[in-house]
């Protein structure tokens, strides 16, 4: 999977978050409501809105750091990834690797925010290279379930999303360098 596919996947996942998780849900229970002393709940998940705003702000901040002369950011949140790529295409290889890792990490986070944990299982464990990673909700890490893949204390190997993204981008770059 190349950086172009990662970029488009991240944008598509952010667009799906925006469409499906920030639109008001239809009333599920048509029964009459009883009055309460509480104010009504927000019709959309405000946490998802905050999450989306933080993701786009991170993309904009990275782009402005790597390319201070970049034009205005797009109004559409999902278009921020293409805008970042266009404005950082001539950046140093290290900056492009950081950019690509950030995009891949955000793509994983978008999928997890929608409840899709299978994206973690599609990545090999950085320690044992097995396809044995599972997402832990409570600690927000990917854990390897291979019994032989443990840390110095004998606990399962765990990885944060940034580590998985950095490894993913480094492996992709190594494959592209050795391709004939």
């Amino acid at each position: 999977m190349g950086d172009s596919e990662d970029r488009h996947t991240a944008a598509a996942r952010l667009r799906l978050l925006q469409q499906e998780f920030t639109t008001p849900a239809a009333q599920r229970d048509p029964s009459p409501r009883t009055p309460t002393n509480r104010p009504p709940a927000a019709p959309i998940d405000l946490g998802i809105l905050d999450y989306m705003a933080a993701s786009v702000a991170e993309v904009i901040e990275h782009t402005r750091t790597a390319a201070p002369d970049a034009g205005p950011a797009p109004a559409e949140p999902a278009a921020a990834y293409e805008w970042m790529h266009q404005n950082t295409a001539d950046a140093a290889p290290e900056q492009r690797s950081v950019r690509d890792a950030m995009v891949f990490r955000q793509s994983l986070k978008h999928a997890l925010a929608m409840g899709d944990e299978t994206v973690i299982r599609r990545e090999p464990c950085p320690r044992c290279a097995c396809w044995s990673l599972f997402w832990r909700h409570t600690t927000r890490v990917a854990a390897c379930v291979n019994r032989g893949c443990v840390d110095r204390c004998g606990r399962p190997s765990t990885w944060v999303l940034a580590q998985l993204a950095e490894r993913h981008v480094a492996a992709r770059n190594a494959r592209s360098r050795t391709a004939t």
Side-chain angles (χ1 to χ4, degrees):
M1 180 172 5
D3 70 314
S4 174
E5 189 173 332
D6 290 343
R7 185 173 68 248
H8 295 300
T9 301
R13 286 179 178 158
L14 187 63
R15 197 173 296 110
L16 184 61
L17 265 173
Q18 183 179 15
Q19 291 171 350
E20 297 297 324
F21 291 84
T22 62
T23 55
Q27 186 176 0
R28 292 182 179 88
D29 184 14
S31 64
R33 297 184 180 257
T34 58
T36 63
N37 292 335
R38 295 181 288 165
I44 59 175
D45 187 350
L46 298 177
I48 293 291
L49 283 178
D50 291 342
Y51 165 77
M52 289 175 54
S55 295
V56 172
E58 183 182 14
V59 168
I60 293 170
E61 180 183 344
H62 176 79
T63 304
R64 298 267 184 237
T65 301
D69 58 340
E76 172 66 28
Y81 294 107
E82 188 62 35
W83 172 79
M84 176 179 63
H85 182 73
Q86 290 173 354
N87 285 291
T88 59
D90 296 329
E94 298 82 21
Q95 285 180 319
R96 289 195 311 265
S97 290
V98 169
R99 173 199 67 196
D100 294 345
M102 179 188 66
V103 169
F104 189 73
R105 176 183 49 81
Q106 283 195 1
S107 180
L108 292 174
K109 284 179 71 173
H110 298 341
L112 290 169
M114 291 184 283
D116 181 10
E117 296 177 5
T118 61
V119 294
I120 299 298
R121 292 182 221 141
R122 293 182 199 136
E123 291 300 310
C125 174
R127 181 169 283 147
C128 69
C130 291
W131 301 93
S132 53
L133 293 179
F134 284 84
W135 184 247
R136 287 186 175 172
H137 292 285
T138 54
T139 54
R140 312 267 318 143
V141 296
C144 183
V145 295
N146 180 353
R147 291 185 181 181
C149 185
V150 294
D151 64 9
R152 291 186 302 250
C153 300
R155 294 178 298 219
S157 299
T158 58
W159 311 95
V160 295
L161 293 179
Q163 291 171 311
L164 292 177
E166 289 167 6
R167 186 204 169 280
H168 176 88
V169 169
R172 187 192 65 222
N173 290 345
R175 283 191 306 270
S176 68
R177 279 193 303 271
T178 59
T180 54

